[in-house]
Amino acid sequence: MNLVQGVSVRSLYKRSSGHGTFTMDPVRDLLIWAIIQNRRELAEIIWAQAFLTRVWWGELRVDNRLWRVFLCMLAFPLLLTGLVSFREKGLQAAPGLARVRAFFNAPVVIFYLNILSYFSFLCLFAYVLVVDFQPSPSWCEHLIYLWLFSVVCEELRQLLYDPDGCGLRKMALLYFSDFWNKLDIAAILLFIAGLACRLTRALLYAGRIILSLDFIMFCLRLMHIFTISKTLGPKIIIMKRMMKDIFFFLFLLTMWVVSFGVAKQAILVHNESRVDWIFRGVLYQPYLTIFGQIPAYIDSVNFNPDQCSPDGTDPYKPKCPESDASGHQPLFPEWLTVILLCLYLLFTNILLLNLLIAMFNYTFQQVQEHTDQIWKFQRHGLIEEYQGRPPAPPPLILLSHLHLFIKRVVRKIPAKRHKQLKNKLEKNEEADLLLWEMYLKESYLQKQQDQQRQRPEQKVQDISDRVDTMVDLLETDRVKRFGALKQRLASLEEQVAQTARALKWIVKALRDGGLGSGEDIPILGEGWLCSFDSGVCGEQRQPLGLLLGLEEDCHASAKCSRDPPTPHQLDPVGDVQEET
C-alpha cells in the first residue's frame, strides 16, 4: 500500500529522515513512523488492517476491482490478458500456469469460490426437496451426497490440521469453540439422520421432514459469509446476544402463559383427556393470544355449540365449555375469564414485550459501541481460515483432500503453517511485539486518565481544588503585603524620628549662637505637634514638640491624638486667610 489515510511513503521518508530505523518494507516503515510520531490510529491501521489486507489478497494487488476478480474466476484464461495485476512484477510477466496458481491460491478468490459453491449447493438442495424427491434418489440427489461428503472431509481436515503440534485434544477443543463449526457438525449429523430415514422406504416421509429442517440449518450457516462486511458482520454478534436475551425472556413468558392457560382450561373445560387438545388449550392458544388471537370461548358472545364436542369424542373439535343442560348457555363465570384475559394481556403485551425490546436495545447499543473492534476480530478469523483452506471449492475440494492425503500420509511430509500467520515467534519478533504491547499499554492508561478527567465528578473536584489553591495563594499574598507595609511604616517612622532629632540639634545650635528669631514659631497643629505614634502596638514615641525643644507648646492638659493630621491642620496659611 502506497497510501494510508492520505499519507504517502515518500513524504514519510522526507519528514523522518533523521531516523535510521526504516527498512525496505513500506508497511513496516509506516508502522515505525506512526509509533515515532505518536500516531496511534494510524499505527493500529498499519499494524493490523494493512497486514491482513495484504494476506487477504495473496499475490494479487489490493487495488484490483472485484468485478475483474469474478470474471477471472468464471473464465480463468482472462488471466493471460492482464485483467488483474499482481504485486510482484516478475509474477506479472510469468507464464500462464504460475499466474493461475497464484490467482487461485489468494484467500479472497478462495472465499468467493466457496460462496458460489455454497449457493449452488443450497439451490440444488432446495430443488431436490421441493421438486425432485423421488422414492429412489435421482442424480441431483446423488450430487448432493457427494457435495456433503466433500464438506465432511473439509471439516475433518480442519479438525486434524495441527501444524504447531498441539495435540488432538487441544485441536478438538479449539475446533468446537467456534460457533460455526458447531453449526456445521449439527447440520451434518441431522443430514445423516435424514438420509438414513430417506433410504428406508417406510420412513421416506420422515426423512423428507428431517432434510427440510436440515435445509434451514444450512441456510443459517450462510450468515458466516457476512463477517467480511464491516456493516453486517457486527449484526451477527448482535443477533447471537439477542438470542441469549430471548432465552432469559422465555422463562418469564412461560410463567405467565402456563398460569393463564391452566386457569383458563380448568375454568372453561371439565376433565379434558385428549393430550393434544390439552396442549392447545394450555400453551398454544395462550401463546397466540399475545399476538392478538383472542380465544373464542372466553365469553358467551362467540359461543357456538356446533363448533365443539360436548363429550370430547370428536378428534377435530375442542370439548365444549361448561354449559347448562340444554347445551346452549355457558355456565362458567364470564366476568372472571374476561378479567383474567385483561390481566394476561396487560402483563404480556405491555410489560414483558416492552421489557424484551428494552433488553434488545441495550444489547444493540452495547455491541454498536464496539463495532469496529468486533469487525476487526471477525475479519482476522475469516482471513486466517481461508488463508489455510484448499483453493478448490466443494465438491472439487476432494481432489485437494486426495493430494493432501498422499502428501501427509503416504509421503510423510509434515504440515507447515503459513509464514505470515504463525503462532510461534522468533526472538526478535517477540521483542518487537513486547515493545508494541508496551506502547499500547501506555496509550490505554493515558486514555483512561483522560476519560477520568472528563467525568463530571472529577471536573467538580478539580475546580474545588483550584479554588482552594487560589484562596490559599490570596491569603498568603495578603499576609506578605501586610507585613511589607508594616515594615515600610516602621522604617518611615524611624526616618521621621531621626529627622526630628536633627532639627532639634539645629535649633539648639542656632539659639546658642545667638541666631534665634524673636518671632514665635509657627503652629503646625496641636495634635500633630504634640503626639507621635509609631503605629506599632505597645510602642510609644515622644511628641514631636518635645523632640524640637518646644516644651511650652505641649502643655500637660492637651490631649494628643493618635489620628494623622488633616490637610486643614497642615495648612497654616489657609487658617490666616480665613481669619482675615
Side-chain angles (χ1 to χ4, degrees):
M1 294 178 66
N2 294 330
L3 292 175
V4 178
Q5 289 189 349
V7 183
S8 64
V9 179
R10 185 176 301 175
S11 63
L12 298 183
Y13 274 100
K14 291 180 180 180
R15 297 176 187 177
S16 302
S17 58
H19 301 283
T21 57
F22 289 99
T23 64
M24 296 302 294
D25 188 357
V27 175
R28 182 179 176 86
D29 293 345
L30 283 173
L31 174 63
I32 295 173
W33 180 88
I35 296 175
I36 294 173
Q37 300 295 331
N38 198 20
R39 302 289 183 87
R40 180 184 176 186
E41 295 181 357
L42 181 60
E44 290 178 352
I45 293 174
I46 299 167
W47 179 261
Q49 301 309 312
F51 171 74
L52 290 176
T53 301
R54 187 174 62 179
V55 175
W56 179 244
W57 285 89
E59 298 295 335
L60 301 175
R61 290 178 59 90
V62 297
D63 55 354
N64 285 307
R65 299 289 183 179
L66 283 179
W67 65 269
R68 297 184 178 183
V69 176
F70 280 117
L71 286 179
C72 293
M73 286 166 50
L74 299 176
F76 66 90
L78 293 176
L79 293 171
L80 304 178
T81 62
L83 186 61
V84 295
S85 56
F86 297 86
R87 285 206 310 265
E88 298 181 3
K89 295 182 179 179
L91 190 59
Q92 190 73 30
L97 184 59
R99 276 186 281 179
V100 171
R101 182 176 181 181
F103 176 80
F104 284 100
N105 280 322
V108 60
V109 178
I110 298 174
F111 174 73
Y112 287 113
L113 282 175
N114 279 270
I115 289 178
L116 295 177
S117 172
Y118 200 77
F119 270 111
S120 302
F121 167 73
L122 291 179
C123 293
L124 185 61
F125 197 2
Y127 172 78
V128 170
L129 289 175
V130 177
V131 178
D132 194 22
F133 197 84
Q134 305 296 334
S136 299
S138 61
W139 68 271
C140 293
E141 194 169 348
H142 282 98
L143 182 58
I144 293 177
Y145 300 159
L146 179 64
W147 215 307
L148 191 71
F149 178 72
S150 65
V151 173
V152 172
C153 293
E154 174 59 22
E155 296 299 324
L156 290 176
R157 185 199 67 82
Q158 294 180 15
L159 177 62
L160 302 176
Y161 180 65
D162 187 15
D164 299 323
C166 299
L168 180 61
R169 178 182 177 85
K170 186 174 181 180
M171 292 303 300
L173 293 175
L174 183 62
Y175 176 83
F176 286 103
S177 63
D178 189 3
F179 170 78
W180 302 110
N181 290 335
K182 296 177 183 178
L183 187 61
D184 289 337
I185 296 299
I188 291 172
L189 294 178
L190 190 62
F191 187 89
I192 294 174
L195 179 61
C197 295
R198 188 254 181 279
L199 296 179
T200 304
R201 185 171 296 274
L203 300 176
L204 180 63
Y205 181 65
R208 192 175 72 182
I209 294 175
I210 296 176
L211 292 177
S212 300
L213 298 177
D214 190 46
F215 179 78
I216 298 176
M217 299 190 68
F218 279 114
C219 289
L220 293 178
R221 182 62 174 82
L222 193 62
M223 291 190 302
H224 182 52
I225 67 174
F226 297 137
T227 56
I228 196 63
S229 172
K230 190 174 183 178
T231 303
L232 299 178
K235 302 302 183 292
I236 299 176
I237 304 297
I238 294 176
M239 292 177 60
K240 290 181 182 178
R241 297 193 180 183
M242 285 184 177
M243 292 297 295
K244 296 180 181 179
D245 295 338
I246 288 180
F247 282 118
F248 287 111
F249 170 78
L250 286 178
F251 287 109
L252 299 176
L253 182 63
T254 303
M255 179 184 66
W256 287 98
V257 170
V258 172
S259 60
F260 173 75
V262 171
K264 178 187 72 66
Q265 185 73 9
I267 293 173
L268 296 180
V269 182
H270 178 68
N271 292 340
E272 174 65 74
S273 59
R274 295 172 296 177
V275 179
D276 54 342
W277 284 103
I278 293 176
F279 173 80
R280 292 179 183 180
V282 174
L283 295 177
Y284 184 63
Q285 289 181 357
Y287 179 74
L288 294 180
T289 303
I290 300 175
F291 303 99
Q293 185 174 343
I294 306 300
Y297 301 118
I298 205 68
D299 54 15
S300 60
V301 176
N302 297 323
F303 180 75
N304 187 359
D306 297 333
Q307 296 182 356
C308 60
S309 176
D311 52 358
T313 56
D314 192 347
Y316 300 103
K317 292 182 180 181
K319 189 175 182 180
C320 292
E322 294 287 344
S323 58
D324 55 4
S326 62
H328 296 284
Q329 294 296 329
L331 294 179
F332 60 87
E334 301 179 30
W335 60 271
L336 181 58
T337 56
V338 171
I339 290 177
L340 289 177
L341 178 63
C342 293
L343 292 176
Y344 175 71
L345 293 177
L346 175 66
F347 281 96
T348 55
N349 282 27
I350 297 178
L351 180 62
L352 293 183
L353 290 182
N354 282 280
L355 176 62
L356 180 63
I357 293 172
M359 293 169 63
F360 284 169
N361 184 49
Y362 174 76
T363 301
F364 180 83
Q365 294 294 335
Q366 192 177 22
V367 177
Q368 192 69 17
E369 293 176 356
H370 306 87
T371 299
D372 188 63
Q373 292 86 346
I374 292 174
W375 172 73
K376 289 177 181 177
F377 277 106
Q378 288 180 336
R379 184 170 181 254
H380 172 268
L382 187 70
I383 292 174
E384 185 177 10
E385 176 184 353
Y386 282 92
Q387 193 272 335
R389 199 182 184 100
L396 300 179
I397 199 174
L398 289 174
L399 300 177
S400 299
H401 292 156
L402 180 61
H403 174 263
L404 187 64
F405 178 79
I406 297 174
K407 188 176 180 180
R408 298 287 181 265
V409 179
V410 179
R411 301 182 60 185
K412 304 295 183 180
I413 300 177
K416 294 182 181 180
R417 181 178 289 273
H418 194 277
K419 63 180 181 179
Q420 289 180 317
L421 295 175
K422 52 187 177 181
N423 293 334
K424 297 181 180 179
L425 302 176
E426 303 295 336
K427 292 184 178 180
N428 57 343
E429 295 175 339
E430 188 174 358
D432 294 339
L433 181 60
L434 290 176
L435 290 175
W436 175 245
E437 290 177 350
M438 290 176 60
Y439 163 75
L440 292 180
K441 182 195 70 172
E442 296 296 334
S443 300
Y444 175 76
L445 294 177
Q446 183 66 31
K447 182 179 180 180
Q448 291 295 111
Q449 292 178 0
D450 295 339
Q451 291 179 354
Q452 183 69 19
R453 295 192 191 98
Q454 295 299 325
R455 295 177 57 187
E457 297 84 358
Q458 188 66 30
K459 288 183 177 181
V460 172
Q461 183 65 31
D462 293 342
I463 293 174
S464 177
D465 295 340
R466 291 177 183 178
V467 170
D468 293 340
T469 304
M470 291 298 298
V471 170
D472 294 339
L473 290 176
L474 291 175
E475 184 67 23
T476 304
D477 183 68
R478 187 184 67 81
V479 172
K480 289 182 178 180
R481 292 179 61 185
F482 183 72
L485 182 60
K486 289 176 64 176
Q487 291 179 0
R488 292 177 63 184
L489 288 175
S491 176
L492 181 60
E493 291 172 359
E494 184 66 26
Q495 292 178 6
V496 170
Q498 292 178 1
T499 303
R501 286 193 293 269
L503 291 175
K504 179 180 179 181
W505 180 83
I506 292 173
V507 171
K508 184 178 180 181
L510 290 176
R511 283 184 177 181
D512 293 342
L515 299 177
S517 176
E519 298 180 359
D520 296 334
I521 298 176
I523 298 175
L524 300 178
E526 180 179 356
W528 181 53
L529 186 65
C530 299
S531 177
F532 181 78
D533 188 4
S534 63
V536 181
C537 182
E539 182 180 355
Q540 296 291 334
R541 301 289 180 89
Q542 294 180 353
L544 185 58
L546 296 177
L547 292 175
L548 297 177
L550 303 177
E551 294 85 350
E552 61 276 8
D553 292 330
C554 296
H555 50 83
S557 62
K559 293 182 179 180
C560 297
S561 176
R562 294 180 178 270
D563 297 331
T566 61
H568 178 72
Q569 294 173 338
L570 296 176
D571 192 5
V573 179
D575 295 339
V576 175
Q577 292 178 354
E578 290 179 359
E579 292 176 357
T580 58

